[in-house]
Amino acid sequence: MRLGREVDYQEAWTLQRRLHDEVAAGGEDALLLLEHASVYTAGTSTQDADLPTDGSPVVHVDRGGRITWHGPGQLVAYPIVAIGDLGVVDWVRRLEQAILDTLHPLGLDVERVRGRAGVWLRGDGTPILGGHGSKDRKIAQVGVRVAGGVSTHGIAINVAPDLAEFSRIVPCGITDAGVTSIAVELGAAPSVEEVGDAFAAALLALGVAAVTPAAVPASVPSSASASAAASLEAAA
């Protein structure tokens, strides 16, 4: 489902919960592709020191981890998927692989960082595995919640956002690394829609069900999500 640009975070979260319940009841997996209106979201491990320095409002969410920013110029993808026998960590690694497979063809030398979820670029001369240097740069975030065997939340790829939005927070509580985007690294970037299509194709190639982007209602009814949950988050 392609929700488009400037999607209100609360509206998308309500839709996620509705789809979660449908998938948990045996319905088809879903994939939401969108750009949020500017918003800070804080997971359950967020510290006071992570919060916006200018008093900007924050939405507290039911994933683990700490604070991040979403907004225009950033692809957000929410796979609402029954993960089967995969554990939460293995599901996160599969999402990371789909991001790697999306960004490598653009000529970006992206990698994983040991002990940190998401996708990164190597700092100049800094080993990316076994140590983190101040010049490592995060280009994509992963943060999920799994309840009743079905995943919600998902990934964000910085295509061409205003990176200054990250300067008001401590992204994911990480102080020894930076944040970057496709546009910053390459001098230009594909559209968010093109990156979304590439990510959906990468998920499908990894055996994760995806749906053809389609129109959805502007507003959706709320529904309760399952209570038992495991979560893993590494935002921004």
Side-chain angles (χ1 to χ4, degrees), residues 11-205:
E11 180 177 334
W13 194 9
T14 296
L15 177 56
Q16 285 191 71
R17 292 195 291 267
R18 192 196 80 187
L19 292 171
H20 170 277
D21 291 348
E22 292 176 359
V23 174
E28 294 184 357
D29 292 342
L31 175 63
L32 306 180
L33 301 172
L34 59 106
E35 292 173 75
H36 277 304
S38 184
V39 63
Y40 293 105
T41 70
T44 56
S45 298
T46 299
Q47 306 295 310
D48 288 345
D50 302 336
L51 297 174
T53 56
D54 62 355
S56 294
V58 175
V59 178
H60 291 269
V61 297
D62 60 354
R63 57 166 170 74
R66 295 168 82 165
I67 194 168
T68 190
W69 173 84
H70 296 307
Q74 182 190 70
L75 170 72
V76 175
Y78 295 130
I80 317 301
V81 171
I83 67 171
D85 294 333
L86 286 177
V88 178
V89 173
D90 288 338
W91 172 236
V92 168
R93 297 295 169 258
R94 188 162 297 190
L95 292 174
E96 288 173 343
Q97 188 60 53
I99 298 169
L100 293 170
D101 294 344
T102 298
L103 297 182
H104 277 147
L106 299 178
L108 288 164
D109 188 17
V110 286
E111 304 183 35
R112 292 183 175 95
V113 170
R114 180 175 295 155
R116 291 178 172 175
V119 170
W120 299 72
L121 284 100
R122 185 190 301 272
D124 296 340
T126 303
I128 202 164
L129 293 178
H132 308 304
S134 62
K135 295 184 180 179
D136 292 344
R137 308 176 306 285
K138 193 169 192 177
I139 197 168
Q141 314 156 33
V142 179
V144 303
R145 169 182 165 88
V146 176
V150 176
S151 180
T152 54
H153 300 286
I155 70 98
I157 298 174
N158 295 332
V159 180
D162 180 359
L163 295 180
E165 300 290 353
F166 289 100
S167 68
R168 299 182 180 90
I169 59 173
V170 180
C172 201
I174 296 173
T175 59
D176 62 350
V179 180
T180 191
S181 68
I182 298 173
V184 167
E185 297 298 327
L186 299 181
S191 69
V192 172
E193 291 79 7
E194 289 171 322
V195 176
D197 288 344
F199 177 76
L203 272 184
L204 190 61

